[in-house]
Amino acid sequence: KPVDSAKQYRVQAGDNLHRICVRLYGDSKLVNSLYELNKAQIGGDMTKLKVGTVLTLPQAPMTTASR
């Protein structure tokens, strides 16, 4: 199922929330927002992302990353 790249991001191998934020927003300021918005999908440990999980983004990305 395709993701809406303005609102969603599909977790890839090697991703973590910090890396995703830097890739999409240029810095890691939104890490906590991204985690809080996706806590139900991520679970209690923000460092354990499952490949293929679709995350809802707190705001549209500033850059377009391949997904």
Side-chain angles (χ1 to χ4, degrees):
K1 178 179 167 185
V3 296
D4 179 347
S5 61
K7 297 176 185 169
Q8 300 173 312
Y9 177 84
R10 187 180 311 277
V11 176
Q12 301 170 26
D15 275 345
N16 61 48
L17 294 182
H18 179 271
R19 209 173 274 155
I20 292 168
C21 283
V22 169
R23 184 181 306 139
L24 299 181
Y25 303 113
D27 60 47
S28 61
K29 291 178 187 171
L30 292 173
V31 166
N32 288 330
S33 298
L34 183 60
Y35 176 61
E36 289 300 322
L37 197 57
N38 294 284
K39 204 179 231 182
Q41 294 91 300
I42 296 170
D45 186 346
M46 69 165 40
T47 64
K48 294 187 178 174
L49 299 181
K50 292 181 184 140
V51 173
T53 300
V54 176
L55 303 177
T56 301
L57 301 177
Q59 64 187 50
M62 297 177 67
T63 59
T64 353
S66 61
R67 292 174 188 50

